[in-house]
Amino acid sequence: MKPTDLRGILQYVPQFRDRTFVVAVDGAVVTDENFPNLLLDIAVLRSLNIHVVLVHGAAAQIEALGREQQVQPSNLDGDGVTDAATLRLALTASNRLTHEILEGLAATDLRAACPNAIVAYPAGILHGIDQLYTGKVERVDTELLETLLHHGIVPVIPPLGFDGEGHTYRVNSDSVAVAVATALKAVKLIFVTTRDALEHAGKPIRQILVAELEQLLAQQPEGFPRELVSKARHAAAACRAGVHRVHIINGRIHEGLLAEVFSNEGVGTLVYADEYQQIRRALKKDARTIYALIQQAMATDELMRRSRASIEKQIGDYYLFEIDRNPVACVALHVYPEEGKGELACLYVKPSHENQGIGRKLIHFVENRARELGLRMLFALSTQTFMYFQTKAGFVEGTPDDLPPARREKYEQSGRRSKILIKPL
């Protein structure tokens, strides 16, 4: 691991320390060759004092066991009818898988246990069809799970539930994960699948607000691949139940869990329950961050060169665009009050966050700020992105005469021959 990777992780630790993540792993992921690496990722989370509950499915194992025993399962994922033969398959497959996971966690020096923490009841008769041994989660024994977590033990929860009469029911693992995450007030629910991300109409979704996801599910459910519909519905349900961040990642990607949790870009899909983006005024301590953020753009002459000291001197003019409190873009508004003009400067968005509308949000923010200050015109200087300002932000080409005298002098001395762009307010 590079030192920069470690610094990237450590910036997240304060907000996650002593909090709970629920990791929901599809059965097909457990049999993948990368699964031991996923368990190592969980060991890293535990080393950072992050509590982890691991929920697993068993659909792939039930299907394989059915072929082995020449039994046709009536239901693979706990969403349909579970007959007696399928329940037996589910019990055998789930118990084997749980034991395999416990062995894997032991190999990473993690203590783990499989508690009977899911209290279930029969799904009953739906649309005139008896669901037999399919169950639904009635409640989660949070006291039991919290006791295990308090003692550093990772609970491993299979897709099974129990009632007070000693009966066992097959329960959909996604719904178990949502119930556990909600009951424990988890800060994250992470669905680990064999797909790279949530998709709709053939396009991957990297970030989506829960309201937008619900709209897609209501209006265009056919746009989701069949195997991802459950993830989409349960992700939305989790957000509405109080889990603010739900992730969907591919468990076959090496270090995918850490990359998703400890970076702004992630590797899968983030479904979030609130607006987790904000623009804020930069503080003196942010000068280093801004300088590091724009270094690449200065090296390619996209932005005018400026020193860290000059940024710090004018830090009150700068604003940062943050995602989960991590800066991914910046902009500055330099004010010339005597002329009633303002310069929109140092607009930069990290390449990993381009084409997401962040640049336009920052321009709109600066325009509103300029109006609040009573300015009559904005201007910007650009050598490479002038078309963006003209086509996306409504600027038009101006002349050196449009610049305040002090700024015109610097413009002529720089020799950059930037295009001058103006926008009346």
Side-chain angles (χ1 to χ4, degrees), residues 160-197:
L160 301 170
F162 311 89
D163 68 8
E165 304 299 323
H167 301 125
T168 302
Y169 299 96
R170 172 85 169 101
V171 185
N172 177 271
S173 62
D174 293 342
S175 65
V176 171
V178 171
V180 171
T182 303
L184 293 177
K185 296 180 172 58
V187 295
K188 287 186 182 294
L189 168 58
I190 305 164
F191 288 113
V192 185
T193 74
T194 57
R195 300 291 293 258
D196 286 340

Side-chain angles (χ1 to χ4, degrees), residues 10 15 101 114 154 179 188 206 227 256 261 290 296 370 405 413:
L10 291 178
Q15 59 181 301
I101 293 170
C114 177
V154 177
K188 287 186 182 294
R206 293 304 176 189
E227 62 270 31
V261 171
I290 295 170
Q296 181 181 343
Q413 290 175 351

Side-chain angles (χ1 to χ4, degrees), residues 33 88 120 143 173 233 260 294 310 359 375 398 418:
E33 62 182 11
R88 287 192 292 271
E143 184 177 355
S173 62
R233 293 191 185 282
E260 178 69 17
I294 64 176
S310 68
L375 303 183
S418 304

Side-chain angles (χ1 to χ4, degrees), residues 7-63:
R7 284 197 294 269
I9 288 177
L10 291 178
Q11 68 179 326
Y12 287 89
V13 172
Q15 59 181 301
F16 295 151
R17 184 184 291 118
D18 296 323
R19 306 301 293 274
T20 300
F21 290 4
V22 174
V23 180
V25 185
D26 284 352
V29 173
V30 180
T31 57
D32 188 80
E33 62 182 11
N34 190 59
F35 186 65
N37 293 321
L38 180 65
L39 296 181
L40 286 174
D41 287 357
I42 291 175
V44 172
L45 297 180
R46 286 295 305 120
S47 72
L48 298 172
N49 289 326
I50 297 170
H51 301 305
V52 178
V53 179
L54 199 157
V55 178
H56 71 82
Q61 287 72 21
I62 292 172
E63 186 175 27

Side-chain angles (χ1 to χ4, degrees), residues 81-104:
V81 176
T82 302
D83 59 23
T86 302
L87 179 62
R88 287 192 292 271
L89 293 175
L91 286 167
T92 301
S94 297
N95 290 333
R96 285 180 183 176
L97 204 55
T98 298
H99 184 75
E100 186 177 335
I101 293 170
L102 292 174
E103 284 184 333

